[in-house]
Amino acid sequence: MNGEAVAAEDAQNVVPPPGGPAGTPPRPHAPHPHDHHPPHAATLAGDAVPVARVDALLAAVPARDRVTRPEGLARDERQRRRWATQVVVVDELARRACEERGLAPPAELAPGRVHGVSGTDVADLGSIVAVALAHSAAARALLAALEGEQRIAEPAVRAYYERNPDRFLTPEALRRGVDPFRGAKARDLVPYARVRDGIEAELRRARGRQAFFDWLDRERAGVEYTHGHEHPGDPAHPDHEHRH
């Protein structure tokens, strides 16, 4: 609601002071310069990201923590807006990257449908990227493309198997309490041939995620944010914090 609308509403609901003329509205206060959000949350290569997209995501994703103090609630809501801006920016950057790569045009971010995000994904990816991947078809398409580009050499797969014997103990070895790093024999481990493909897929997924993070760091460097939509961890604003 803009300043004129607020003043009009005050005029309709005004109670005349004792002894004063009825229907005389109070003098409206000048709006604070930060009372209203700008029409766009960020700009990417000169193109605006509308605040409406951030508002839609905020409406769909509930607050993570329950805060009862008014000042705490206000701060958390400001940080939620900054967090949601990052999710929307990731989606927009990913849609542009998909277009540049000739990938199938993904659907728009659908904030009205809240997808579940596991605690493991949040721990591994951070909440911004985890939620962006859950909501953005473009981000998922780009991540899949980056994973598909990774080539894992056979020595890397074998080295992972040999470095992590604790992950490949047989059920019988586990029952006997075999120490995988001291005294484990070949019969105590699941054969390499049976787990090789799974190891390769896991390494490809890890490298694909790293490629996604590297891409995102490069692309976000050129994004400009409006007041109230900065990164939650940006020390330039008083609410800054770095959480996952």
Side-chain angles (χ1 to χ4, degrees):
M1 182 179 294
N2 60 31
E4 294 178 357
V6 171
E9 184 175 346
D10 285 343
Q12 293 173 359
N13 298 318
V14 66
V15 178
T24 303
R27 186 175 180 178
H29 296 289
H32 189 279
H34 293 161
D35 281 349
H36 308 291
H37 293 293
H40 61 275
T43 55
L44 287 64
D47 296 330
V49 177
V51 167
R53 291 180 63 180
V54 177
D55 291 338
L57 184 62
L58 283 171
V61 179
R64 180 173 56 179
D65 302 318
R66 292 184 179 274
V67 179
T68 56
R69 292 180 303 171
E71 65 275 16
L73 179 60
R75 177 185 179 279
D76 278 12
E77 284 304 304
R78 290 193 299 268
Q79 286 294 73
R80 284 187 70 231
R81 174 166 293 278
R82 295 179 177 111
W83 172 86
T85 299
Q86 290 296 311
V87 174
V88 172
V89 164
V90 172
D91 172 64
E92 182 61 29
L93 290 171
R95 294 200 308 114
R96 295 179 181 213
C98 286
E99 184 177 351
E100 291 172 0
R101 287 168 165 264
L103 300 176
E108 283 276 357
L109 182 76
R113 295 182 302 159
V114 179
H115 299 263
V117 179
S118 72
T120 300
D121 283 343
V122 172
D124 291 345
L125 303 168
S127 65
I128 290 170
V129 173
V131 173
L133 288 170
H135 282 265
S136 171
R140 293 193 298 273
L142 178 60
L143 176 60
L146 291 171
E147 286 183 3
E149 293 172 0
Q150 307 305 312
R151 297 294 176 264
I152 311 300
E154 184 63 27
V157 181
R158 169 64 76 168
Y160 184 91
Y161 177 79
E162 293 176 352
R163 284 197 311 270
N164 298 279
D166 54 313
R167 297 196 59 188
F168 306 111
L169 286 174
T170 65
E172 174 59 26
L174 287 171
R175 282 194 296 271
R176 289 189 287 110
V178 172
D179 185 336
F181 298 102
R182 296 180 181 178
K185 297 180 171 51
R187 68 173 181 272
D188 297 321
L189 301 175
V190 178
Y192 174 72
R194 285 174 52 188
V195 296
R196 183 211 169 279
D197 290 348
I199 294 173
E200 183 183 22
E202 186 172 335
L203 293 177
R204 181 178 295 108
R205 182 167 54 253
R207 291 189 184 180
R209 287 182 169 187
Q210 185 58 56
F212 185 90
F213 280 120
D214 292 343
W215 161 82
L216 184 56
D217 285 342
R218 291 193 304 271
E219 296 301 316
R220 275 198 301 208
V223 178
E224 296 181 359
Y225 301 98
T226 60
H227 174 78
H229 296 88
E230 311 89 343
H231 192 284
D234 185 348
H237 64 77
D239 301 320
H240 73 88
E241 63 179 352
H242 190 79
R243 297 174 63 183
H244 290 283

